[in-house]
Amino acid sequence: MLWLACIAAAVQALGHHRPSDVLGSTLLACVCYGLAARLPPTAAAPDVALALSAAVALAAGVRSDSLALSLVDAAAAFVCAALLRYIATEGPAHAARRTRPAVG
């Protein structure tokens, strides 16, 4: 999540991508993760990582031309990190795993 928040904010701050680009790529990654998570169980990500992601997103999204654009970039990056955390810990793959009948 830290890496996602950092890169999502940085590529926007550098002008390489728009907020919709990073959100779209995060949604694609979440879909892929959701499919992969249906395999063996995984450990939940700690909540501390989400707080650190906010700080990393804010630092990586800093732009010299506009405070408002810096905040937009950081907010989009944080939404990406929060979405990834949700999918990893509470998403549909985990719900499906909890509702499977026990074998044997």
Side-chain angles (χ1 to χ4, degrees), residues 9-23:
V11 297
Q12 292 174 87
L14 293 172
H16 296 297
H17 293 283
R18 298 180 307 249
S20 60
D21 296 336
V22 295
L23 290 171

Side-chain angles (χ1 to χ4, degrees), residues 11-45:
V11 297
Q12 292 174 87
L14 293 172
H16 296 297
H17 293 283
R18 298 180 307 249
S20 60
D21 296 336
V22 295
L23 290 171
S25 64
T26 300
L27 288 173
L28 180 61
C30 289
V31 167
C32 292
Y33 175 83
L35 293 173
R38 292 188 183 274
L39 301 172
T42 58

Side-chain angles (χ1 to χ4, degrees), residues 53-68:
S53 296
V56 168
L58 188 57
V62 172
R63 298 171 63 140
S64 60
D65 60 344
S66 170
L67 175 62

Side-chain angles (χ1 to χ4, degrees), residues 47-82:
D47 289 331
V48 174
L50 190 59
L52 290 173
S53 296
V56 168
L58 188 57
V62 172
R63 298 171 63 140
S64 60
D65 60 344
S66 170
L67 175 62
L69 290 176
S70 294
L71 294 175
V72 168
D73 293 346
F78 179 73
V79 167
C80 291

